Amino acid sequence: MRKLTIYVFVIIMPILLFCDNTMEVIAYMEGENEHDRLGDNMTSLDFNGDGFDELVVYSPNWPEGAPQHYGKLYFYEGGPDFDAEYDFGLEGTEESKILYTFDNLGDMNGDGYEDLGVSRGLNGYWYIDIYFGNEQQELEPDLQYLPEGNYTPFIVRPLGDVNADGFDDSGVIMVSTLGEDQPSKFCICYGSDTQIVKEVLAEDLGIGSSEGMVGVGDVNNDGYDDFTIGYTYYDEYWSERYTNTLYYGGEEIDSEPDVILWDEEQTYMTLGKPAGRFNGDEYDDFVGHFDNTSTYFWYGQENITNQYDFLLSYGGGGSSLDYGFDFGDVNNDGYDDFAIGNHYAGGNGKAFLYLGGNDPNNVVDMEFTESVNLSDDLFGSSLTMGYFDGDEYADLAVGAPTNWDYHPFHGRGYVFVYGGNGQLYDTANEEEAIPQPPKATLTAHPNPFNPTITFQIKANDYENLQIKIFNAKGQKVKTIKSSEITEASNHQVTWNAQKQASGIYYCILVNVATGQQLAAQKVTLLK
C-alpha cells in the first residue's frame, strides 16, 4: 500500500481572526502527484464500526500520467493513532471512474456499520455502487443501481430514516440522458436487512445536472427524518428557475412537497444541508441557498415556512452538486456547531466556524485561512466533520484542491484537519452581535375569517416591516409591503383572501433589512 508523504515543514498554521479560539492542525495531507487535486470532495463515516470516524478524501486526477484520470478515494482510519498516512483506498479503473459525488449513507442494512455510496462510470455511462461497512474494510460493492432506459443514476445522498423503520434510507437522482426533453426522477432507496427497495417518489422534475436530494434530519420533530429536493426548471416565460422543496418523512410520503423553501431566478442554488441541533432543542435545523455571500438558516419547528430565521454572511464552497458545509460538536458542550467553506474568499479561500448554544447567533466564532504559496488554492471547496483522533471533540477537515485551470503544473491538492477543542467559546458580545430587530407584535382579527382579515402591527420602527403570508404548504400567497404598513391608519392593514382556498395560513412579520422573523400568526380562512 502506498503511503502519502507528510511535509511537516510546510504547514502554515491557521490565521485565527476571532479572540482566543484555536483548533490545532492534527494532520496535513498532500496529494500523491502534482495535479491530483486531493480534497476536491470529502466525507466521514464509521465504516469499520470501531467507534471512530474514517476520513474519506477524493482525488479526481488519479493516476498520474494516465491517458484518462479515473479518480481515487483515500481512507484515513480514525482513532488515537489518526495521522496523515492513508490506510486503504478505492481506485477508479478504465472501465469505472470514481465520480465527484459520494457520501455516508448511514446504516442502510442495520448491521451496525455505516455505508458508503459512490457514483461511478465513464464516458456518460454512470451508475452507483453501495459499499456496506464492515470490520475487514472490504471495498467490494454490495449493491448497484444501473442505468434504466434513458436515465442515468447520477447522485446518491443520505436521507436518514424517513419511514422510521430503524433502517437508514438514501436518495438517488435519475438524470435524463435526453436533457430538457425528459426531466429527472427522484427516488427513495428504503433501507432493510433483507432487500433494499428503490421507489420513484417524484418525476418530471428538473432539466439539468443541478438537482439535489439530501436528508436534513427530523426538522418538525414528528419521529420521521425529513429531506429536501432541489432542481431547475423553465417557467411559462422560458426563464430558468431554481427551487428547493422540503418533504416531511412518514410511513407513506406524498410526491408533492410540504414546503417550497425558495423558487427564484438566477440563483444557481438548489441544495439544502442538515445543520444538526444548533440551539439544542428537540428539532433538527438545516441550511440552504448557498451563494458567494450568504446562506439561509432555518431552525426546526413544528410548522416550517419558506421564511428562514437568519442569514449567514459566508457561503460558496463546493459546486452545484454539493457545498462545503458540515456540523458536529467541536467543543463537546452538547450543542452542534457548524462550519462553512468559501473558496472565493480572500483569494485562496477560507472556512468559518459557528458555535451552537441555547441562544446562538450568526457571528463567526473562528476563521481559518491557509496557503501553500499558490493563489487559487480553493481552500474551503470541501469540508467534513468527524471524530477522527479518538477524543470526545468533533474534528474539522478542510480541502484545498487547487484550481487546475490556473495551475496546470502545480495542481497538487491539500487537506488540513483541525482538532476539536473544549475551550472554544461564543465570541459574540454586545458590540459584535448582530443588531436586534425592534420589538414588535402582530395580531389578527377576526380569526377565523371570510374573506377579509385585519392585521394590527405594533413596533418601534415600521419602515422596514413586511407581512408575508404562506399557505399550509409554505407557498407565499401575499406580501403586505412596508409602504402599506407605514401609510395605514394606526398601522392596521387588511388582507382580502377572496381568491384563496379555505384553510390555514401563516402570517409572518419580517424585518426586511435584517431578514429576521419578528412575530407570527396562524389564521384560518373559512368560506
Side-chain angles (χ1 to χ4, degrees), residues 154-159 171-173 175 184-187 205-206 208-215 227-232 243-245 247 269-273 320-323:
F154 180 46
I155 300 171
V156 58
R157 291 297 188 204
L159 300 185
V172 168
I173 303 174
V175 176
S184 301
K185 290 183 179 180
F186 296 83
C187 309
L205 300 177
S209 61
S210 296
E211 282 79 340
M213 187 178 187
V214 178
F227 60 94
T228 62
I229 286 180
Y231 56 93
T232 59
T243 188
N244 191 271
T245 57
Y247 288 75
M269 301 297 149
T270 63
L271 193 63
K273 296 282 279 187
S320 62
L321 301 178
D322 199 2
Y323 299 102

Side-chain angles (χ1 to χ4, degrees), residues 4 29-42 57-64 69 71-74 100 102 318-319 343 376-382 399-415:
L4 294 185
M29 295 83 169
E30 287 195 1
E32 287 189 276
N33 62 65
E34 288 290 331
H35 58 274
D36 67 354
R37 303 194 72 237
L38 184 77
D40 196 48
N41 200 6
M42 294 187 290
V57 183
Y58 177 51
S59 167
N61 292 351
W62 180 93
E64 184 177 18
H69 296 120
K72 182 174 180 178
L73 296 181
Y74 298 86
Y100 177 85
F102 59 94
S319 73
H343 60 243
D376 301 299
D377 287 340
L378 301 185
F379 180 83
S381 292
S382 65
T402 307
N403 194 329
W404 173 247
D405 293 334
Y406 288 89
H407 303 288
F409 302 107
H410 302 282
R412 187 189 300 275
Y414 310 87
V415 175

Side-chain angles (χ1 to χ4, degrees), residues 32-163:
E32 287 189 276
N33 62 65
E34 288 290 331
H35 58 274
D36 67 354
R37 303 194 72 237
L38 184 77
D40 196 48
N41 200 6
M42 294 187 290
T43 193
S44 62
L45 79 166
D46 186 6
F47 190 76
N48 61 1
D50 63 356
F52 306 109
D53 289 325
E54 280 77 57
L55 173 63
V56 185
V57 183
Y58 177 51
S59 167
N61 292 351
W62 180 93
E64 184 177 18
Q68 295 188 59
H69 296 120
Y70 307 133
K72 182 174 180 178
L73 296 181
Y74 298 86
F75 291 72
Y76 301 84
E77 286 187 22
D81 297 326
F82 177 77
D83 59 28
E85 298 186 62
Y86 83 94
D87 295 281
F88 57 102
L90 179 63
E91 299 176 354
T93 66
E94 184 176 359
E95 296 77 23
S96 180
K97 181 177 179 179
I98 295 176
L99 304 177
Y100 177 85
T101 56
F102 59 94
D103 217 329
N104 175 1
L105 302 182
D107 186 3
M108 294 191 66
N109 60 348
D111 62 356
Y113 301 89
E114 291 184 327
D115 309 320
L116 181 69
V118 181
S119 294
R120 306 194 65 159
L122 199 64
N123 298 327
Y125 182 88
W126 292 348
Y127 61 95
I128 291 168
D129 278 345
I130 308 295
Y131 301 85
F132 293 150
N134 58 87
E135 186 176 359
Q136 295 75 30
Q137 301 170 339
E138 295 177 353
L139 287 172
E140 292 295 328
D142 297 278
L143 182 65
Q144 286 188 329
Y145 296 123
L146 301 173
E148 301 175 6
N150 294 316
Y151 291 93
T152 297
F154 180 46
I155 300 171
V156 58
R157 291 297 188 204
L159 300 185
D161 188 1
V162 299
N163 58 354

